[in-house]
């Protein structure tokens, strides 16, 4: 219920310099008044907005709980558009928790995850895409990802969507007009105008939808699986790329049994690197499960780094793996060239018509930079276009855009086939509705609930 005053610990649990308790709602200032003794002897009701006050939090018997700074942000100029109070106390589990308890005792209720941001949305300060961008800002793992999220938070995507929605409304208005005033004989002109507008709308939607391929990688990372026969140096490669001794490396084939995932930033590209168990026929139960997991990792990955031992003749396993990864974006990493390069390997590399290959040595640190460049090229197809500020990074947006685009395309096909335009308004309305579900203009309780449940408490 929105008329309740909510409170949460907004900082991460654990020991830290400061901890923040955040309160939002009608009685937020009133609660502060009851528990805060300002050094200047002012009541909270007299403290102006956005001024930092020094003092103490005290319980009902005037026992000091902690020394704090308190800030009031009165509505509507606050994060939630409600009265918001922040109490900055000493970080550490106990002070924050005791203040939180006191706040709850004085009439606030514990906030759900994302409830502050949900209120900002429900009170009309931000739309749904901006609310979703808040999570993306918090969870971003690269500067590129952060910039994309900040653009979305700034309303860049909303602006683009709203301009498409406005176009759709104007198309619908034209249709209405031609139905209401058929005697004006404007049918033909209207049809042409609508066609031009509809094609433009569809093209803009298609552009946005296409930006997702890159947008998804910017947000979630390029999922890249390192696969190959046992003992070729997959785990060594992972460790080298992340500059950490994360995976166990031995000269015993079959060392890696489970999937290991690590994030890595290659020139602004977020890469989710997945080390896998070497693929071979095996009777070992644990290794068998590992090999199965490798196969699912191959299916899910967007890019495969196929590692082979360059110094040896290729084994039947190597050829099987080449088959297994067909259809994926593959980079062949011919490792251990410090021990020589076998002619089989040269042949395999020369036969590569698609994808690319690198001769490298993890041991001697040869070819690592080249491999990183190849991964980066796969994302940007050789051109850096991360600065695009109208980008779709969220799968929910992409799905709805595509549904909207389908509806717009149906309408265009109908126009071409000479279907009477009044029958096409259903499709244009559908396109509008889908975009409205992205921005939150069309509110659906379940979706809203689901979106905000992904937030952390206190945001
Ligand atoms: N000479 C040489 N040895 C290497 C190179 N890279 C890795 N090795 C060695 O090869 C052996 C196997 O390396 P790992 O990284 O464990 O190989 P893996 O592919 O992960 O093996 P599994 O987990 O068993 O599938 C280790 O002894 C590494 O030190 C290289 O470039 N040159
Ligand atoms: Mg390994």
């Amino acid at each position: 219920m929105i008329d309740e005053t909510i409170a949460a610990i907004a900082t991460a649990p654990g020991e830290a310099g400061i901890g923040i308790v955040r309160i939002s709602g009608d009685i937020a200032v009133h609660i502060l008044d009851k528990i805060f003794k300002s050094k200047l002897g002012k009541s909270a009701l007299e403290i102006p907005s956005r001024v930092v006050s020094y003092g103490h939090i005290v319980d009902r018997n005037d026992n000091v709980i902690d020394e704090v700074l308190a800030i009031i942000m009165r509505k509507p100029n606050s994060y939630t558009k409600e009265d918001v109070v922040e109490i900055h106390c000493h970080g550490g589990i106990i002070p924050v928790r005791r203040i939180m308890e006191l706040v709850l005792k004085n009439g606030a209720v514990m906030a759900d995850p994302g409830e502050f941001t949900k209120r900002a949305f429900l009170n009309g300060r931000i739309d749904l895409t901006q609310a979703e961008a808040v999570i993306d800002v918090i969870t971003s793992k690269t500067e590129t990802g952060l910039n994309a999220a900040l653009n979305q938070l700034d309303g860049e995507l909303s602006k683009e969507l709203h301009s498409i929605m406005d176009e759709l409304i104007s198309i619908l208005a034209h249709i209405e007009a031609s139905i209401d005033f058929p005697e004006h004989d404007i049918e033909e002109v209207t049809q042409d105008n609508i066609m031009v507008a509809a094609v433009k709308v569809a093209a803009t939607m298609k552009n946005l939808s296409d930006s997702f391929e890159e947008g998804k990688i910017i947000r979630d990372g390029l999922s890249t699986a390192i696969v190959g026969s046992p003992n070729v140096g997959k785990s060594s490669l992972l460790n080298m790329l992340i500059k950490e001794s994360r995976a166990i490396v031995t000269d015993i084939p079959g060392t890696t049994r489970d999937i290991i995932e690590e994030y890595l930033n290659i020139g602004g590209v977020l890469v989710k690197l997945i080390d896998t168990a070497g693929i071979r026929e095996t009777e070992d139960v644990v290794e068998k499960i590992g090999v199965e997991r490798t196969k699912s990792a191959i299916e899910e990955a967007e890019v495969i780094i196929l590692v082979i031992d360059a110094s040896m003749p290729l084994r039947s396993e190597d050829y099987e793996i080449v088959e297994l990864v067909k259809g994926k974006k593959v980079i062949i990493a011919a490792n251990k060239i410090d021990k020589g390069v076998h002619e089989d390997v040269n042949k395999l590399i020369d036969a590569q018509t698609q994808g690319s290959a690198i001769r490298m040595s993890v041991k001697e640190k040869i070819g690592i930079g080249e491999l990183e460049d190849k991964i980066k090229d796969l994302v940007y197809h050789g051109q850096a276009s991360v600065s695009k500020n109208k980008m779709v990074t969220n799968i929910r947006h992409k799905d709805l855009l595509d549904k909207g685009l389908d509806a717009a395309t149906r309408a265009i096909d109908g126009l071409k086939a000479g279907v009477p335009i009044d029958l096409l308004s259903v499709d244009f309305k559908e396109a509008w509705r889908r975009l409205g579900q992205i921005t939150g203009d069309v509110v659906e309780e379940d979706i809203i609930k689901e979106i905000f449940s992904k937030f952390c408490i206190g945001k």
Side-chain angles (χ1 to χ4, degrees), residues 234-235 248 255-256 275-276:
K234 300 181 293 300
S235 302
I248 299 173
T255 298
T256 305
D275 183 23
T276 64

Side-chain angles (χ1 to χ4, degrees), residues 278-328:
I279 297 183
R280 65 169 171 185
E281 284 298 325
T282 171
E283 289 310 314
D284 182 305
V285 186
V286 181
E287 198 182 347
K288 235 188 179 128
I289 298 171
V291 172
E292 282 313 309
R293 289 196 177 168
T294 300
K295 289 180 179 164
S296 343
I298 291 176
E299 261 169 45
E300 281 161 32
E302 281 149 305
V303 172
I304 305 289
I305 301 177
L306 169 51
V307 186
I308 52 178
D309 185 336
S311 67
M312 296 207 308
L314 290 174
R315 290 162 282 185
S316 59
E317 284 100 332
D318 293 319
Y319 290 108
E320 276 164 31
I321 299 166
V322 170
E323 280 303 308
L324 212 56
V325 301
K326 272 224 165 105
K328 291 270 173 187

Side-chain angles (χ1 to χ4, degrees), residues 413-442:
D413 291 346
L415 277 171
K416 281 185 193 152
V419 174
I421 48 172
D422 50 325
L423 295 182
L424 299 176
S425 58
V426 182
D427 293 323
F428 286 119
K429 273 183 197 149
E430 158 90 4
W432 185 91
R433 198 172 62 86
R434 293 302 185 185
L435 300 188
Q437 286 173 332
I438 303 180
T439 58
D441 285 88
V442 177

Side-chain angles (χ1 to χ4, degrees), residues 60-336:
R60 209 188 306 166
N61 305 320
D62 267 359
N63 297 317
V64 171
I65 306 289
D66 197 9
E67 177 192 29
V68 304
L69 295 174
I71 307 159
I72 299 171
M73 287 152 277
R74 287 190 178 77
K75 67 181 176 190
N77 298 318
S78 72
Y79 188 72
T80 54
K81 274 191 138 184
E82 302 170 343
D83 283 351
V84 170
V85 166
E86 277 182 16
I87 302 168
H88 296 218
C89 61
H90 289 106
I93 299 158
I94 302 301
V96 195
R97 195 163 64 201
R98 288 186 66 192
I99 293 172
M100 181 67 190
E101 277 166 11
L102 212 51
V103 167
L104 294 179
K105 245 187 228 158
N106 280 282
V109 297
M110 184 91 81
D112 290 332
E115 202 173 352
F116 290 89
T117 310
K118 186 174 175 180
R119 288 188 173 197
F121 163 66
L122 292 175
N123 292 328
R125 191 178 66 80
I126 52 175
D127 77 358
L128 211 45
T129 66
Q130 290 172 299
E132 288 172 299
V134 172
I135 325 176
D136 293 346
V137 168
I138 294 173
T139 57
S140 61
K141 297 180 189 73
T142 60
E143 290 196 16
T144 326
L146 175 62
N147 287 340
L150 285 173
N151 269 326
Q152 191 176 317
L153 181 60
D154 215 27
E156 290 292 344
L157 179 62
S158 321
K159 251 187 264 160
E160 183 79 350
L161 291 168
H162 277 120
S163 87
I164 306 174
M165 288 165 79
D166 289 347
E167 282 282 334
L168 286 164
I169 293 287
S170 126
I171 292 174
L172 285 163
H174 272 88
I175 295 177
E176 286 300 319
S178 76
I179 298 168
D180 290 348
F181 307 105
E183 71 277 11
H184 285 212
D185 200 23
I186 53 171
E187 181 90 357
E188 217 159 275
V189 183
T190 309
Q191 284 227 355
D192 289 348
N193 287 346
I194 290 177
M195 185 61 141
V196 172
V199 167
K200 196 175 133 218
V201 159
T204 319
M205 286 166 88
K206 172 96 174 45
N207 266 340
L208 268 186
S209 169
D210 287 349
S211 72
F212 179 69
E213 197 186 333
E214 205 173 295
K216 176 180 177 292
I217 293 168
I218 285 172
R219 197 181 89 140
D220 300 332
L222 181 73
S223 148
T224 305
I226 307 177
V227 301
S229 304
N231 216 35
V232 292
K234 300 181 293 300
S235 302
S236 309
L237 178 59
L238 173 101
N239 289 346
M240 171 66 74
L241 287 171
I242 64 169
K243 299 183 177 72
E244 231 180 87
S245 202
R246 169 73 173 83
I248 299 173
V249 168
T250 72
D251 55 5
I252 306 161
T255 298
T256 305
R257 302 299 187 87
D258 214 343
I259 303 278
I260 296 176
E261 292 182 354
E262 283 293 324
Y263 282 97
L264 169 72
N265 182 343
I266 301 183
V269 178
L270 179 64
V271 176
K272 184 171 135 194
L273 210 54
I274 306 154
D275 183 23
T276 64
I279 297 183
R280 65 169 171 185
E281 284 298 325
T282 171
E283 289 310 314
D284 182 305
V285 186
V286 181
E287 198 182 347
K288 235 188 179 128
I289 298 171
V291 172
E292 282 313 309
R293 289 196 177 168
T294 300
K295 289 180 179 164
S296 343
I298 291 176
E299 261 169 45
E300 281 161 32
E302 281 149 305
V303 172
I304 305 289
I305 301 177
L306 169 51
V307 186
I308 52 178
D309 185 336
S311 67
M312 296 207 308
L314 290 174
R315 290 162 282 185
S316 59
E317 284 100 332
D318 293 319
Y319 290 108
E320 276 164 31
I321 299 166
V322 170
E323 280 303 308
L324 212 56
V325 301
K326 272 224 165 105
K328 291 270 173 187
K329 290 178 181 165
V330 180
I331 301 170
I332 294 182
N335 189 32
K336 305 198 187 184

